[in-house]
């Protein structure tokens, strides 16, 4: 009975959060090289910490929440490296397998849309005490690699996926 109630509560939370994500007030952030949209309730960090160009943080859910789900944008210069999306994906996959503790790649797929082609990766890994799930988009343009990453607690991925993907999908290079 406890298991049934737990599953029901999780499903209800998924439906409520997914619906709430669709009704959020969104803002557009314009950076030098790209634009991206985010919910107005999320926090913007442009301090370039950990080598990122931008980190967008969700709100803490309650007093016991110890991890803020987030989306970050990383820009790497690849000029002179003869880097294409295939090569970048192969290098990134190798780094995930080698450096991310307990990593498991769940998805790696090439996406082609009207204006861009990118690689979509989903994987899990452990960082300290946190078991995390990542969804990444890799773009190669203008001698740079653009890596967008949604990072969530592994148990909250489905809750944050709709809003996270809406943020990731809003990314447009200038």
């Amino acid at each position: 009975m406890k298991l049934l109630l737990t599953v029901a509560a999780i499903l209800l939370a998924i439906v409520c959060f997914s619906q709430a994500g669709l009704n959020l007030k969104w803002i557009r952030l314009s950076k030098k090289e790209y634009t991206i949209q985010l919910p107005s309730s999320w926090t913007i960090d442009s301090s370039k910490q950990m080598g990122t160009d931008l980190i967008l943080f969700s709100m803490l859910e309650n007093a016991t929440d110890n991890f803020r789900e987030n989306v970050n944008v990383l820009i790497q210069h690849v000029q002179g490296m003869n880097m294409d999306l295939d090569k970048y994906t192969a290098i990134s996959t190798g780094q995930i397998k080698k450096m991310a503790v307990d990593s498991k790649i769940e998805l790696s797929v090439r996406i082609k849309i009207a204006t861009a082609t990118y690689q979509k990766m989903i994987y899990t890994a452990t960082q300290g005490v946190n078991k995390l799930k990542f969804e990444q988009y890799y773009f190669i343009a203008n001698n740079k690699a653009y890596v967008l990453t949604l990072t969530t607690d592994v148990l909250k991925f489905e809750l944050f996926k709709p809003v996270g993907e809406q943020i990731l999908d809003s990314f447009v290079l200038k």
Side-chain angles (χ1 to χ4, degrees):
M1 184 69 172
K2 278 186 176 181
L3 178 60
L4 182 60
L5 288 174
T6 302
V7 170
I10 290 171
L11 289 174
L12 180 62
I14 289 171
V15 169
C16 291
F17 189 83
S18 297
Q19 294 301 318
L22 298 176
N23 295 323
L24 292 172
K25 180 180 177 194
W26 289 78
I27 59 174
R28 181 183 197 156
L29 179 63
S30 184
K31 301 284 279 180
K32 180 181 177 183
E33 298 180 50
Y34 60 88
T35 62
I36 193 165
Q37 295 180 26
L38 65 143
S40 61
S41 60
W42 284 43
T43 303
I44 300 169
D45 180 347
S46 296
S47 67
K48 301 196 183 289
Q49 69 177 351
M50 298 182 288
T52 61
D53 189 63
L54 176 71
I55 305 175
L56 308 173
F57 288 102
S58 70
M59 301 290 290
L60 288 174
E61 296 172 71
N62 55 48
T64 61
D65 191 359
N66 64 354
F67 183 81
R68 290 175 73 186
E69 280 65 25
N70 63 83
V71 171
N72 70 65
V73 179
L74 176 73
I75 302 173
Q76 296 178 309
H77 295 273
V78 294
Q79 187 170 358
M81 299 174 151
N82 193 30
M83 190 68 63
D84 62 12
L85 195 50
D86 289 329
K87 187 174 179 182
Y88 192 85
T89 299
I91 291 169
S92 296
T93 300
Q95 289 176 337
I96 291 167
K97 290 178 179 178
K98 185 176 182 180
M99 300 175 75
V101 177
D102 300 324
S103 65
K104 179 183 175 196
I105 296 176
E106 297 180 359
L107 177 74
S108 180
V109 62
R110 185 68 45 94
I111 308 288
K112 294 181 182 184
I113 55 175
T115 58
T117 298
Y118 62 95
Q119 188 73 21
K120 178 178 180 177
M121 299 276 293
I122 298 178
Y123 64 96
T124 58
T126 301
Q127 287 185 349
V129 298
N130 296 313
K131 181 72 172 168
L132 302 175
K133 192 160 187 174
F134 305 87
E135 182 167 342
Q136 293 186 315
Y137 291 7
Y138 306 150
F139 295 86
I140 302 291
N142 308 317
N143 292 311
K144 295 177 184 170
Y146 298 85
V147 181
L148 286 70
T149 305
L150 166 64
T151 306
T152 73
D153 179 282
V154 73
L155 298 175
K156 296 180 183 175
F157 181 75
E158 292 303 323
L159 291 173
F160 281 90
K161 185 178 180 183
V163 172
E165 286 186 342
Q166 193 168 345
I167 296 168
L168 296 174
D169 291 341
S170 75
F171 179 82
V172 177
L173 288 167
K174 291 184 177 177

